[in-house]
């Protein structure tokens, strides 16, 4: 049999072969990018990444409600939110169609995805009040709706076959529309906010801010803040829930300067300097809704979504829902005793 030089060489090599110790598989002791000189690394900081992954998989619910007297632009602002940079989606109304007067509580939802994270944003539009002869207790339908969502959540929580993740329809923030009168708040506004602030996070906004001059706006904002304080109305972010000094400093600025946000709403788009913008066309120019020099809509949006979304959800869960839950169980309204809270409960409170 022919044996080539290579084969014979191989044979010789084979006979001399001493098995080399196999290299151990590399087991990562810690994630990449972490200083290896740190002995005893446990990996607590990876929780952030774990939470991020989980949130990306499950997404989260966020629900905003608009409330206020009739004709202040609540439905328009709902459209503005959906058409603005929050989603750039149509909320279902035809561009040319005039927004009808709202006659019932209606929730409009969209799933918005950004950077792989899904948010189910629902905006709850409510009928305006204040045009009846008797406006007594006109906050009741709104309060009822808010409580119904707490009740739904509570029922899911005490269910024996509890869902892994309870759909969250609870109202995380309620934008309260104030008429741009330049005068005092109406007694009805004060009563309304007093009632609602006990069950939900209230964010007061001055509607139709384009009808005020800069000085009028600054002065009115100050007056509203003062009146809310004098009347003991707690709006979000509530002082008592500031967690530390950093929170307090940041929130004090918001409470003393930004609140109430003076907004302008529109669902119409116009061409300005070659760009399509949401705006209101007037004889003296276009008011750009998302331009910070024109109104505070973008500030409000950033406040609610970019900086305080998680906190709004936490205050809703830990304070407002908890108050409802405790009262409901105290009243013993036919519910079975509560099971001990598990992580599953907290999962719904992303
Ligand atoms: N000037 C001005 N007008 C606005 C603004 N937002 C809405 N409007 C107008 O105000 C009118 C009422 O707007 P809607 O959005 O229907 O008001 P609403 O608060 O939903 O009214 P109800 O459903 O009756 O409670 C419409 O003609 C809007 O075009 C705004 O920011 N500035
Ligand atoms: Mg409406």
């Amino acid at each position: 049999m022919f044996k080539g030089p290579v084969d014979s060489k191989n044979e010789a090599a084979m006979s001399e072969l001493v098995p080399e110790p196999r290299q151990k598989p590399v087991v990562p002791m810690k994630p990449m990018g972490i200083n290896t000189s740190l002995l005893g690394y446990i990996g607590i900081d990876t929780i952030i990444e774990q939470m991020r992954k989980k949130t990306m998989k499950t997404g989260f619910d966020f629900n905003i409600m608009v409330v206020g007297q009739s004709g202040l632009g609540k439905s328009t602002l709902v459209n503005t939110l959906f058409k603005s940079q929050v989603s750039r989606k149509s909320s279902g109304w035809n561009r040319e169609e005039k927004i009808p007067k709202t006659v019932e509580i209606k929730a409009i939802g969209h799933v918005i995805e950004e950077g792989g994270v899904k948010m189910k944003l629902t905006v709850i539009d409510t009928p305006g009040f204040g045009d009846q002869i008797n406006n007594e207790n006109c906050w009741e339908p709104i309060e009822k709706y808010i409580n119904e969502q707490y009740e739904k959540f509570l029922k899911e929580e005490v269910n024996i076959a509890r869902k892994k993740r309870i759909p969250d329809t609870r109202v995380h923030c309620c934008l309260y529309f104030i008429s741009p009168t330049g005068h005092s708040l109406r007694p009805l506004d004060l009563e309304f906010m007093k009632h609602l602030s006990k069950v939900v996070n209230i964010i007061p906004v001055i509607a139709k801010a384009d009808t005020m001059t800069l000085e009028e706006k600054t002065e009115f904002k100050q007056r509203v803040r003062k009146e809310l304080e004098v009347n003991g109305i707690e709006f979000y972010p509530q002082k008592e829930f500031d967690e530390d000094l950093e929170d307090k400093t940041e929130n004090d600025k918001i409470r003393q300067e930004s609140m109430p946000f003076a907004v302008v709403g529109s669902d119409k788009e116009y061409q300005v300097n070659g760009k399509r913008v949401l705006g209101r066309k007037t004889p003296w120019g276009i008011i750009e809704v998302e331009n910070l020099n024109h109104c505070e809509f973008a500030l409000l949006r950033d406040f609610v979504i970019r900086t305080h979304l998680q906190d709004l959800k936490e205050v809703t869960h830990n304070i407002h829902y908890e108050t409802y839950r405790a009262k409901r169980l105290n009243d013993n309204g036919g519910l079975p005793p509560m099971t001990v809270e598990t992580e599953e409960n907290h999962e719904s409170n992303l």
Side-chain angles (χ1 to χ4, degrees), residues 129-153:
F129 54 84
D131 43 11
Q132 261 80 40
I133 294 171
N134 183 2
N135 290 305
E136 212 178 302
N137 298 348
C138 57
W139 51 84
E140 272 175 0
I142 311 274
E143 205 174 352
K144 184 166 166 260
Y145 179 90
I146 293 169
N147 284 334
E148 275 168 6
Q149 311 317 307
Y150 292 147
E151 183 68 21
K152 236 194 239 177
F153 199 87

Side-chain angles (χ1 to χ4, degrees), residues 15 49 90 100 129 133 151 170 260 273-274 279 282 313 315 325 327:
S15 60
E49 183 56 19
S90 153
F129 54 84
I133 294 171
E151 183 68 21
R170 297 169 300 180
N273 299 330
T282 69
K313 284 173 73 81
V315 175
R325 180 178 162 277
K327 185 175 176 300

Side-chain angles (χ1 to χ4, degrees), residues 183-222:
H183 305 300
S184 308
L185 282 174
R186 296 171 182 170
L188 188 55
D189 286 325
L190 292 169
E191 269 304 290
F192 214 109
M193 278 191 266
K194 215 174 246 177
H195 273 88
L196 285 194
S197 62
K198 295 196 179 82
V199 291
V200 73
N201 291 319
I202 297 266
I203 299 180
V205 299
I206 297 174
K208 299 187 177 180
D210 51 318
T211 58
M212 309 182 103
T213 65
L214 288 175
E215 293 78 30
E216 282 166 352
K217 187 191 82 179
T218 313
E219 204 182 300
F220 191 47
K221 278 178 74 143
Q222 263 170 12

Side-chain angles (χ1 to χ4, degrees), residues 145-307:
Y145 179 90
I146 293 169
N147 284 334
E148 275 168 6
Q149 311 317 307
Y150 292 147
E151 183 68 21
K152 236 194 239 177
F153 199 87
L154 181 63
K155 284 222 168 100
E156 288 286 354
E157 263 190 351
V158 296
N159 229 342
I160 294 175
R162 203 163 28 169
K163 286 182 184 139
K164 191 163 183 290
R165 187 173 166 266
I166 302 171
D168 193 357
T169 59
R170 297 169 300 180
V171 180
H172 299 116
C173 93
C174 170
L175 303 182
Y176 189 90
F177 283 59
I178 295 165
S179 175
T181 57
H183 305 300
S184 308
L185 282 174
R186 296 171 182 170
L188 188 55
D189 286 325
L190 292 169
E191 269 304 290
F192 214 109
M193 278 191 266
K194 215 174 246 177
H195 273 88
L196 285 194
S197 62
K198 295 196 179 82
V199 291
V200 73
N201 291 319
I202 297 266
I203 299 180
V205 299
I206 297 174
K208 299 187 177 180
D210 51 318
T211 58
M212 309 182 103
T213 65
L214 288 175
E215 293 78 30
E216 282 166 352
K217 187 191 82 179
T218 313
E219 204 182 300
F220 191 47
K221 278 178 74 143
Q222 263 170 12
R223 182 166 311 159
V224 171
R225 282 197 294 267
K226 184 106 200 107
E227 285 185 14
L228 291 174
E229 195 187 332
V230 168
N231 287 280
I233 295 164
E234 282 275 347
F235 55 85
Y236 179 85
Q238 301 90 335
K239 274 188 212 124
E240 55 188 308
F241 307 140
D242 288 342
E243 277 173 14
D244 50 32
L245 200 65
E246 191 190 338
D247 254 19
K248 188 182 171 332
T249 317
E250 189 193 340
N251 289 340
D252 270 347
K253 203 160 176 293
I254 293 161
R255 287 186 285 257
Q256 289 155 18
E257 291 169 27
S258 313
M259 291 284 180
F261 293 95
V263 299
V264 175
S266 173
D267 60 349
K268 305 267 186 295
E269 287 180 6
Y270 297 96
Q271 198 86 21
V272 175
N273 299 330
K275 272 205 301 192
R276 289 200 78 71
V277 296
L278 276 174
R280 302 190 71 83
K281 195 171 181 184
T282 69
W284 46 90
I286 289 169
I287 303 156
E288 297 168 39
V289 167
E290 293 175 81
N291 184 336
L292 281 177
N293 294 321
H294 294 197
C295 84
E296 296 166 359
F297 170 78
L299 273 186
L300 169 70
R301 188 185 54 200
D302 283 355
F303 169 67
V304 170
I305 293 175
R306 287 199 187 175
T307 59

Side-chain angles (χ1 to χ4, degrees), residues 66 72-83 99 123 175 177 205 263-267 289 297 300:
V66 291
L72 287 182
K74 298 181 294 297
S75 304
T76 308
L77 203 86
V78 172
N79 265 11
T80 315
L81 260 174
F82 282 124
K83 282 203 157 187
I99 295 174
V123 183
L175 303 182
F177 283 59
V205 299
V263 299
V264 175
S266 173
D267 60 349
V289 167
F297 170 78
L300 169 70

